[in-house]
Structure formats: structure tokens, C-alpha cells
Amino acid sequence: MGGEIELFPEWMLDPERKEDVLIFLRELPAPPRRRKEALVAWAQYVGLVLTKDDIKAILKPGEEYIESWRE
């Protein structure tokens, strides 16, 4: 990970903004893996633990996240 946290506006760098971050990432025109990397970077920065549901929340309808080691 390098620089993913710079993707977020300053007002999103707050753990109470998790829902906003999930919506922001879902709408981002990027592959699921990149959106997950950004979400993980954000969670580490604000000190939150993510769940599988959080990862699913950033997927667009019809998308599926596949771990890179399973491809």
C-alpha cells in the first residue's frame, strides 16, 4: 500500500465516517482489489477493525471480490 490514504478527503479521516467511506469507495471507478486496499488503509489510519460485511459493502452490484492468491 502506498498513498491510498491520500485518496480520502480530510473530513473522511474519522472512524465515525465509516458509512460515508463505504459509499465513497463503492462509487469509485476502480477494481474491487484497489477499493479494498484503500479501505484497509483507511481503517488502519483511523484505528478500526474491518469485517467481511465491510468489504462486501464496497462491491458494486454483480461484483465479487476474489483474493489475489485465489485467482
Side-chain angles (χ1 to χ4, degrees):
M1 281 182 255
E4 286 91 352
I5 202 67
E6 295 173 7
L7 173 72
F8 299 98
E10 187 175 332
W11 64 269
M12 283 189 180
L13 300 178
D14 179 344
E16 293 181 12
R17 294 294 189 160
K18 182 170 115 176
E19 290 302 317
D20 295 320
V21 169
L22 296 176
I23 293 168
F24 174 75
L25 289 175
R26 185 180 323 118
E27 299 302 319
L28 199 65
R33 183 181 304 152
R34 296 290 180 222
R35 293 194 311 262
K36 179 186 176 191
E37 289 171 355
L39 179 60
V40 169
W42 175 85
Q44 288 176 338
Y45 185 84
V46 299
L48 285 181
V49 176
L50 298 174
T51 66
K52 286 184 180 182
D53 288 335
D54 294 330
I55 303 302
K56 290 179 183 178
I58 65 170
L59 296 177
K60 296 177 182 178
E63 269 186 336
E64 185 178 338
Y65 179 78
I66 301 172
E67 294 288 344
S68 58
W69 55 272
R70 291 187 178 179
E71 292 179 342

